[in-house]
Amino acid sequence: MNKLLLASFEIEVVNREYKFVGMYITGNFPESFPEVAVTVQREFWERRKEIKNSKDYETLFSPGMCNGILATYFACIEVTEVDNVPEGMIAFTLPDTEYVKVSCTNKTIGEGYNKLFDWMKQNRYEHKFYGACQIEIFYINDEVDEEPVEILIPISKLND
């Protein structure tokens, strides 16, 4: 995959429901990030194949929520059913939600967030917090240094 394709910063609006099984960690925000996020991702990655009903063991989903003081960050895989949850893990469903999505890479994720927030402002959308999580999707490939990432921010239209 060439670098231009990886960091396309293509933006689109999508609606999806997600079913996840994974692990989570909460830390002070922003002081403990990204270190705590990396910690839970590594721990989960070693255990991911304990999960039944996986749609894809090589795609890491990292939903998160933050109130500006604390942040909870998840490391998950998407599943067809949220049952048979391994010990020390959690299962949950994010309901059908409207997201704005950008394609970037693990090395351009900061720029990806900037593009999303600029797009939201220009198109009169706000970040939806209640009943939703933003999601980072990592397409893991141990043989490359730069991997594709998608960022999804739950949105709602601002009233005129």
Side-chain angles (χ1 to χ4, degrees), residues 25 28 30-42 73:
I25 193 166
N28 294 331
E31 301 87 351
S32 60
F33 283 82
E35 292 81 13
V36 295
V38 171
T39 298
V40 75
Q41 285 178 330
R42 285 187 179 145
Y73 193 81

Side-chain angles (χ1 to χ4, degrees), residues 61-129:
F61 290 81
S62 289
M65 45 195 160
C66 180
N67 67 7
I69 300 167
L70 299 173
T72 300
Y73 193 81
F74 297 83
C76 306
I77 56 172
E78 189 175 14
V79 294
T80 56
E81 296 298 324
V82 289
D83 56 5
N84 299 316
V85 180
E87 188 174 331
M89 294 192 192
I90 186 172
F92 60 99
T93 300
L94 293 178
D96 188 37
T97 300
E98 186 173 38
Y99 297 94
V100 61
K101 177 178 88 170
V102 69
S103 300
C104 56
T105 74
N106 56 318
K107 295 187 183 231
T108 61
I109 201 164
E111 190 175 351
Y113 273 104
N114 290 340
K115 300 242 184 230
L116 279 179
F117 290 124
D118 288 347
W119 182 93
M120 289 167 59
K121 185 176 180 181
Q122 291 170 5
N123 290 278
R124 301 200 33 79
Y125 281 92
E126 64 183 348
H127 192 291
K128 177 182 173 184
F129 289 100

Side-chain angles (χ1 to χ4, degrees), residues 51-65:
I51 299 168
K52 308 294 181 223
N53 304 323
S54 171
K55 287 188 171 185
D56 178 0
Y57 285 113
E58 303 308 313
T59 302
L60 176 67
F61 290 81
S62 289
M65 45 195 160

Side-chain angles (χ1 to χ4, degrees), residues 2-9:
N2 72 39
K3 190 172 188 170
L4 182 62
L5 179 63
L6 283 174
S8 68
F9 300 110

